[in-house]
Amino acid sequence: MDNQDNELRKVVQELADEEGISFSDALDVSIKALRYEVQRRKSFTGEAADGGCGPTS
């Protein structure tokens, strides 16, 4: 697990360096992006479970 922790820290630090922000801010951005992606995938799988069809009017 240490290797994954180090890899995550390295990627967040790269984001911080590229964006010119603190590590803490880059960590916040990363968490928000992951949460957004989880929600996006949940909504996508919900649509797929409905047959991919929206409401018909």
Side-chain angles (χ1 to χ4, degrees), residues 9-28:
R9 284 187 182 99
K10 180 181 174 185
V11 170
V12 172
Q13 186 61 57
E14 287 174 10
L15 173 64
D17 294 345
E18 287 178 15
E19 296 295 322
I21 60 178
S22 69
F23 181 85
S24 178
D25 287 345
L27 190 57
D28 289 342

Side-chain angles (χ1 to χ4, degrees), residues 2-52:
D2 284 340
N3 190 36
Q4 289 175 330
D5 290 346
N6 290 336
E7 187 174 353
L8 181 58
R9 284 187 182 99
K10 180 181 174 185
V11 170
V12 172
Q13 186 61 57
E14 287 174 10
L15 173 64
D17 294 345
E18 287 178 15
E19 296 295 322
I21 60 178
S22 69
F23 181 85
S24 178
D25 287 345
L27 190 57
D28 289 342
V29 168
S30 300
I31 290 168
K32 288 176 184 176
L34 284 169
R35 285 183 177 150
Y36 173 81
E37 182 64 15
V38 167
Q39 287 303 110
R40 189 186 72 78
R41 289 178 182 221
K42 282 182 181 178
S43 68
F44 179 75
T45 56
E47 289 177 17
D50 293 337

